[in-house]
Amino acid sequence: MPVDPQLQQIDLAVIAVAATAEFWATSSATVRSALLEGLAQALEAHQIELVALADEETRLGAGRLSGEVARTAFQLRGFATEVRNGVPYASVDDPAIAGAPPAGRPRLIRVNEPLGPVAMFSASNFPFAFSVLGGDTASALAAGCPVVVKSHSGHPRLSQAVFDIAQGVLKAQGLPAGLLGLVSGASRAAGTYLVQHPHIAAVAFTGSFGGGTALWRAANERPVPVPFFGELGSINPLIALPDILARDGQALASILAGSITMGCGQFCTSPGVIVLLPGEASDRFVDHLATALQPLATHAMLTPAMRQGFDHGVAQLEQAAQARPLFQAAADTRGPAPRLFEVDAQAFIDNAHLREEVFGPCAVVVRAASVAQVNQVLSAIDGTLTATLWGFEQADESARSIYRSARKVAGRVLFGGVPTGVAVTAAQQHGGPWPASTQPQTTSVGYAALQRFLRPVALQDAPAWTLENPGTCA
Ligand code: NAP
């Protein structure tokens, strides 16, 4: 046992969680779904005091936080339904075929094995939906994996309160307390220790590029590397064609200004880059956007470090010779005043700093000279969670080529609306090429998220007794 009390705390939590791994991996759909539903119900039952506590720690406001509790309960129940429908227990059965290979073959049944204990790093910006009982925990539990949560330093008391409620549910259902562990107040070194703990089989993370890559390296440098499901950053380009802007530019500008400032811009899906083609409609749209954005007041950012990060990103844009501010920033309210910059497409392509995520109420308008240059802009962007296309109703050559470029860099392509707001469904994809996700073939929102924590096993010529319940081998 290490002497450092933080590391001791992690050892104790991980050992307790690991002790439940076999029980949970072989648990029935009835037991698993009842836990997920019980957790949803308990969250809702304690909504008033939890929202008050969350508001004290995050200042996100009761309205937004209540909505997040509803979403968190909804996704816990959604995963319960997936479990009841047998998704984590699904198998594929290829009967034997007599004769020589390659046509002849033994019987093969492909089943899923839960990975084992998951270390989950809570996100700062979703104190419910991506925290102790958020999507990562719900999907891991649904897959049959117990979870150790590393609470976020931005909402430690809320994390403890939600954890205590979850412990009450485990007790009431006669389940082991170790199915869910909590590590709080952990230093960066202790977080790394958790990722490298020999009993940890996978890691889920939402946060910064710097923190995420540090922990991703730690996961890969272990004697036995483990999967690291990280969501690290995204600039979410929006491409608007002139025709739609000519038709509806003012209303669209107002909707976009709302999306840029929603939650003080602290959303991984916040639209950070708006790509426009030449023309009067685009020029007018930029004016409308500046007019709509400038007076909007924001609330305080989640942590002083985030505010520092925002100020640094804005200063970097202000100092870049190629970036022009589109209005004089108003005085800060409780949070930072919104910012809007404009750059030429070539400068955006040439200067990587102009393409960095500025987490907060800030966006950059990129002026492209042609459709070909829009495609170059999209190719210059690293992987992104979303790309939004406005005005792509008609299938002409330009629309097709931009659509192709968008699909190559984004996890979700929207043909209208704004990217903030992520529905929890079976078809949802919240990921994308690096650095949007460290594992672009996976999603961290939606029911496919549970597949991250399952490993396929092929059973060849398995005897009948193993097939009584092939999904769980129980
Ligand atoms: P963060 O700083 O990456 O922190 C996330 C988690 O990782 C926290 O638990 C943090 O510990 C831990 N951590 C960070 N760096 C670490 C390191 N080097 N070694 C070990 N553990 C480490 O993210 P954040 O606090 O949520 O927000 C900061 C920035 O992240 C934002 O300004 C924004 O740029 C970005 N962000 C992105 C998303 C997204 O969805 N892509 C979401 C939120 C934030 P502590 O609790 O001790 O800090």
Side-chain angles (χ1 to χ4, degrees):
M1 183 75 76
V3 251
D4 182 330
Q6 285 206 353
L7 305 192
Q8 278 181 8
Q9 182 203 1
I10 290 173
D11 266 357
L12 290 174
V14 175
I15 288 167
V17 166
T20 69
E22 180 61 11
F23 161 72
W24 199 240
T26 56
S27 59
S28 70
T30 310
V31 171
R32 255 187 237 179
S33 57
L35 174 60
L36 292 163
E37 276 160 0
L39 293 171
Q41 209 176 347
L43 259 189
E44 287 170 339
H46 292 273
Q47 171 160 339
I48 292 174
E49 69 256 33
L50 289 177
V51 164
L53 187 48
D55 198 24
E56 267 176 43
E57 290 192 308
T58 67
R59 290 158 296 181
L60 285 172
R64 144 81 198 269
L65 290 163
S66 301
E68 217 185 299
V69 171
R71 171 187 165 165
T72 310
F74 176 86
Q75 70 191 5
L76 281 160
R77 290 199 177 94
F79 279 111
T81 304
E82 293 292 292
V83 171
R84 267 199 312 277
N85 289 341
V87 173
Y89 309 99
S91 58
V92 178
D93 190 347
D94 280 337
I97 295 178
R105 65 183 190 205
R107 182 182 183 192
L108 281 163
I109 300 178
R110 188 180 172 92
V111 296
N112 291 314
E113 181 66 25
L115 289 181
V118 173
M120 196 285 273
F121 284 70
S122 294
S124 54
N125 55 343
F126 281 96
F128 291 106
F130 272 91
S131 194
V132 178
L133 290 181
D136 284 330
T137 301
S139 54
L141 288 174
C145 301
V147 178
V148 186
V149 176
K150 189 277 182 196
S151 70
H152 195 281
S153 50
H155 52 272
R157 287 184 297 132
L158 174 68
S159 303
Q160 186 66 51
V162 173
F163 176 73
D164 291 344
I165 287 167
Q167 286 299 322
V169 175
L170 289 170
K171 195 169 178 194
Q173 296 194 1
L175 293 170
L179 282 178
L180 189 67
L182 182 72
V183 170
S184 43
S187 65
R188 300 279 158 104
T192 306
Y193 181 80
L194 171 62
V195 164
Q196 297 196 320
H197 198 288
H199 289 331
I200 290 298
V203 184
F205 173 94
T206 304
S208 67
F209 180 80
T213 45
L215 292 170
W216 170 79
R217 273 196 199 95
N220 283 291
E221 282 165 1
R222 295 166 44 122
V224 179
V226 293
F228 184 91
F229 302 103
E231 190 209 307
L232 313 186
S234 185
I235 58 173
N236 305 301
L238 182 154
I239 300 96
L241 297 183
D243 280 358
I244 193 168
L245 297 183
R247 268 195 326 267
D248 218 7
Q250 189 162 6
L252 289 169
S254 153
I255 291 166
L256 181 56
S259 177
I260 292 168
T261 50
M262 185 187 280
C264 197
Q266 299 168 117
F267 285 114
C268 43
T269 52
S270 191
V273 171
I274 297 113
V275 189
L276 302 176
L277 284 162
E280 220 182 290
S282 297
D283 295 346
R284 271 204 307 276
F285 176 72
V286 172
D287 290 344
H288 288 317
L289 182 59
T291 307
L293 199 55
Q294 187 177 22
L296 293 182
T298 62
H299 56 69
M301 295 194 78
L302 285 161
T303 62
M306 276 197 184
R307 178 62 203 254
Q308 252 173 16
F310 178 76
D311 291 342
H312 171 77
V314 167
Q316 198 158 267
L317 286 168
E318 282 172 341
Q319 281 153 23
Q322 310 101 322
R324 305 173 285 280
L326 281 166
F327 53 75
Q328 187 70 33
D332 285 355
T333 50
R334 285 168 61 214
R339 305 301 185 102
L340 187 64
F341 293 86
E342 182 177 63
V343 297
D344 294 332
Q346 198 54 53
F348 184 83
I349 292 163
D350 292 344
N351 185 349
H353 288 311
L354 298 176
R355 304 195 297 272
E356 279 173 20
E357 180 184 32
V358 180
F359 203 69
C362 177
V364 175
V365 173
V366 177
R367 296 296 206 131
S370 62
V371 167
Q373 206 174 31
V374 171
N375 288 324
Q376 287 165 12
V377 165
L378 285 173
S379 305
I381 286 173
D382 288 328
T384 179
L385 292 169
T386 71
T388 302
L389 307 181
W390 282 356
F392 285 69
E393 292 76 21
Q394 301 305 322
D396 60 23
E397 215 27 63
S398 304
R400 283 182 197 281
S401 73
I402 295 173
Y403 164 58
R404 277 300 303 147
S405 299
R407 273 181 61 143
K408 284 189 213 162
V409 294
R412 176 164 57 110
V413 179
L414 294 82
F415 294 88
V418 286
T420 40
V422 187
V424 182
T425 72
Q428 188 54 272
Q429 176 56 28
H430 192 68
W434 181 282
S437 172
T438 58
Q439 306 260 3
Q441 69 278 36
T442 66
T443 180
S444 62
V445 178
Y447 302 124
L450 76 78
Q451 301 295 342
R452 294 176 297 172
F453 304 111
L454 294 170
R455 180 177 64 80
V457 177
L459 307 177
Q460 182 166 330
D461 287 334
W465 66 265
T466 66
L467 304 179
E468 283 157 17
N469 196 352
T472 64
C473 71

